[in-house]
Amino acid sequence: MRETEGSPIKQVRLTVNGKAYGLDVQPGKTLLELIREDLGLTGTKEGCGLGECGACTVIMDGKTVNSCLVLAAEADGKQITTIEGLADGDRLHPVQQAFIDHGGLQCGFCTPGMIMSAKALLDENQNPSDEEIRKGISGNLCRCTGYTKIIESIKAAAGNAGGR
Amino acid sequence: MAEFSVIGERVPRVDAREKVTGEARYAADYSLPGMLWCKLLRSPYPHARVLNIDTSRAEKLNGVKAVCTGKDFGGWTWGWMSSTRDESPLAVDKVRYMAEAVAGVAATSEDIAEEACDLIKVDYEELPGVFEPEEAMKEGSPSVHDYVKNNISVEYHWDFGNVEKAFSESYIVREDRFRTSRATHGYVEPPATLAYYDPSGYITVWAAKQSPYFHYRHLSACFKLPLSRVRVIQPFIGGGFGGTKNDSLGGDFCSVLLSKITGRPVKYVESMEEELVTSRRRHSMIVYSKMGVNKDGILMAIHHRVIADGGGYTAIGPLSLYLAGFATTLPYRLPNFKYDAYRVFTNNPIGAAMRGHGVTHTRFAAEIQMEMIAEELGIDPVEIRMRNAIDNPEPGAVYETINKVLVKTCGIKEAIQRVADAPLWRDRNKVPNKDGDISWGVGLSGTSYLGGARQMGHQACAAIIRICEDGAVNLITGATDCGQGSDTVLCMIAAEELGVRLGAIDIKRVDTAYTPVDPGSYGSRVTILAGQATQKAARQAKKQLLEAAARNWQVTPEDVEIRHGRAFVLSDPEKSMPFDRLARIACYSGTGAVILGTGYSTYGIEPLDLVNGIGNGGTSYSYTAQSARVGVDMETGKIITTDFTIASDCGRLLSPLTAEGQIEGASIQGLGQTIYEDFIMDSGKTLNPTFLDYKMPLSMDVPAIKLIDVVTDDPDGPFGAKEASEGSIVSAPPAVVSAIHDATGVWFKELPVTPERVVQALKNRKNKGASAAP
């Protein structure tokens, strides 16, 4: 997105990982840019910038979004969770732990987005079938794993993730 | 079999926690105060002379700090060999592929840098282009580089045995033309770098490189600084798979130059579209394969004539064509072999390395052709492979191929047999092969790949083990984990050798100011070569620890052992102490005692023979057999893949969880290049430059994968290990294409087998009654 000279700056209030922020943003700024550049939360990745790879997936008001496609201004008043907001202190979220234990990651670049999609899936459906898991992460590209161990990780997490 | 305490355990990756929490920082996650952004202006033509570049309007734009063009690099060029240095950081006189970079801008924001690129005026004189390698090698075709004739970039002619005689004595001789797809690596992290040129003459970069020491040498040569003043610091790497992240790119050089001009740090992040239209991708190769067998289906001879689309520059192409040739004598006994290879310059993006490098093309052709011959002879696909497969040499024995490749362990027969015995193949006729419009089929392949790839120049990997006084251990290598899990494997090797728990080992990522120089992460080198170096370094450190313990207990060092984090006297196990205590004693014994172990690899030191193709291309060889089940919609041509069974001889699996993930992931990448992935090109222009249109497998597309371990104990690998994963990217295409044949009755010789190609082939067969696809 290009910055437009003289365009009005908008004030955005949002909650990210439980913390409230008020920020002045340019109209063209995306939620991804706000998260990475303004808040310095670089766990959320930019892969394609076109909503095709899912690396920038975050949870906005309970639903996953490609943060590269959401304007920062649209996130006004929203609750956002990023990968940095999943662990409870040193205690990892069950999905994070399952990805570690079951080899659900390799290079790690798609991992934050993948884990956010998995978490959102398990929040809605505590006991998904294989098919539902595949569907739940069908917007997230992974080139390293071939998805097999990601699916196994999410299945393993399903038993332990309820209520978090 | 020796007993191990860490090797072979299903341990999680050592970097997993940082990656699941988002703490792992990749190149684009780094920033520095005062940082500028670099963007490149790219050519709209695939072939054109650059007459003039006017940067004056860009320079006047508010926020622009510097602009550079090709001339600012003073005529410097680079390439994989000294004789192929044909590429400059930015095009100088001529662009040779579409989107080749011609100018770079540094500005206070990425948006301003991009806007400035639009203000640069380049006068081009468009030249006729050439886009098909077989056209390009004809006399009179447009010349991509003036220094070569008929656009021949690389040419090999190898001849082993007597193929003509063997063909004349063969019972069946087949000749077919195969072609592989225009596939790319498809990592999700686009190339990125953050560069700072310190005015006192030091370069520091945080760059997404899977082989950072290539980049280190390139920067030193380009900016005429001693290597001691070039510091490449390794961030986490978001996937590599060869090619692009093994080389330096225009944006890398421009970021450093623009930092030098401005005195400020400069960051460059490629867009995914830039990546997809310029990536140093897998070559598309045309393979004319001629194969002769006797009445029993025993291979008599193969002659391969390979024509590869090299694109605009040479890059690593000489190695690609070497690999496509030398490994054709594996995994089947082949008494006569001839290889004529041409890498041809075109005005397409650069052909380079990708996982399964070189071998995937010719092995695909040979596997399918062997199946076609088996069908003609009425021999079962398993049987023809078993009749030809190389036997596993007895321990200490060596099998030598006609081109003098030395095989010390070979699990191909066991792999094929175990895949044949597994339910997917065994029961293939027990399930219905028709279900409405869907026709089902099962196919099989048996392939090989090299590990510990050799090269022309610097070969050895090195490692340093430093024992800290509290019992912690630093492992320092020049090896790069670009996602494959090598950091985990190297830590496991160090822990096993030292007798400590895995958690005691802390591995450092590459920082060329401190870590030992290393060739890089390609050709499945790291586990074997950096692994051997780590093993030796750990042994050297352990020797010093044992000596310190022996002095303490007043016994001989041979009477001391360390296991599971405790040192003890073998003859008197009551005498024991925890590793951290021993470390302290050892570090404090004598003034300034420093426990450092160093080691470097010695496997596979002889350089490659590119000219004659004689000898080893790797240190050792993995073997893979695979079956695949597909369903083909006979109306729409759509293919679904439901099952893979893959048996891999990776020597001994050091880290099963890591190796499994590698084998699974590579087989899916192989599936992608077989039925989905292909750049659609129109006169040098990429028509599908996004992940939406360049379709890679998604979670909905992938089969259930069953893995079988075939354990051999290779003498040329740490703990008997060989490579894992490049094997299964090579085994997947022939297994899947055989399955498609089983389902449709059509042999597809061109990849990818898209729904359009399936529908067309079925239509052709209906019209002509022929069984071969176009």
Side-chain angles (χ1 to χ4, degrees), chain B residues 61-325:
Chain B
L61 184 70
N62 202 9
V64 170
K65 300 297 174 191
V67 181
C68 63
T69 66
K71 293 197 171 93
D72 297 319
F73 289 93
W76 183 78
T77 56
W78 89 103
W80 188 66
M81 301 197 301
S82 53
S83 56
T84 63
R85 288 181 187 150
D86 56 14
E87 209 173 344
S88 37
L90 295 169
V92 181
D93 300 323
K94 200 166 138 172
V95 290
R96 295 182 172 85
Y97 64 94
M98 193 171 278
E100 184 173 354
V102 291
V105 173
T108 50
S109 80
E110 204 172 8
D111 291 336
I112 294 172
E114 214 172 303
E115 198 176 334
C117 285
D118 294 344
L119 297 175
I120 297 172
K121 190 170 169 294
V122 185
D123 298 329
Y124 293 100
E125 178 198 337
E126 223 185 317
L127 297 168
V130 62
F131 309 101
E132 270 299 323
E134 289 187 307
E135 286 298 313
M137 57 199 292
K138 284 183 188 156
E139 196 80 44
S141 277
S143 182
V144 180
H145 289 273
D146 294 335
Y147 76 92
V148 295
K149 201 171 165 322
N150 299 335
N151 291 310
I152 304 297
S153 146
V154 176
E155 186 173 356
Y156 299 136
H157 301 282
W158 308 339
D159 201 350
F160 302 100
N162 186 341
V163 290
E164 290 316 321
K165 185 167 175 283
F167 285 132
S168 71
E169 291 167 1
S170 292
Y171 181 68
I172 291 184
V173 177
R174 269 202 77 99
E175 292 187 61
D176 296 280
R177 180 185 192 267
F178 297 87
R179 182 157 194 177
T180 54
S181 55
R182 300 177 182 279
T184 199
H185 319 89
Y187 36 67
V188 187
E189 180 206 29
T193 189
L194 171 59
Y196 180 56
Y197 192 109
D198 187 297
S200 58
Y202 287 86
I203 294 172
T204 305
V205 300
W206 291 259
K209 299 293 170 198
Q210 68 182 89
S211 299
Y213 286 92
F214 282 134
H215 194 43
Y216 158 83
R217 290 174 173 130
H218 294 159
L219 291 179
S220 162
C222 179
F223 292 94
K224 298 178 178 52
L225 289 176
L227 289 166
S228 58
R229 288 172 174 242
V230 177
R231 190 170 174 196
V232 182
I233 301 176
Q234 184 76 78
F236 281 90
I237 307 299
F241 314 115
T244 312
K245 288 186 188 172
N246 257 339
D247 210 336
S248 300
L249 308 174
D252 293 312
F253 295 111
C254 287
S255 301
V256 175
L257 179 61
L258 292 166
S259 176
K260 184 180 179 184
I261 296 168
T262 60
R264 291 166 67 166
V266 176
K267 181 166 170 172
Y268 172 75
V269 183
E270 214 156 79
S271 74
M272 193 52 82
E273 181 170 343
E274 287 179 288
E275 152 64 19
L276 290 175
V277 300
T278 64
S279 78
R280 285 150 200 260
R281 71 272 323 269
R282 196 193 282 302
H283 290 80
S284 170
M285 290 193 194
I286 298 161
V287 182
Y288 288 98
S289 186
K290 183 174 180 184
M291 181 182 278
V293 305
N294 73 10
K295 232 184 333 197
D296 300 321
I298 302 295
L299 278 171
M300 304 280 283
I302 291 178
H303 177 199
H304 276 167
R305 194 160 67 85
V306 170
I307 296 158
D309 185 350
Y313 295 93
T314 307
I316 200 168
L319 185 60
S320 312
L321 276 284
Y322 167 84
L323 293 170

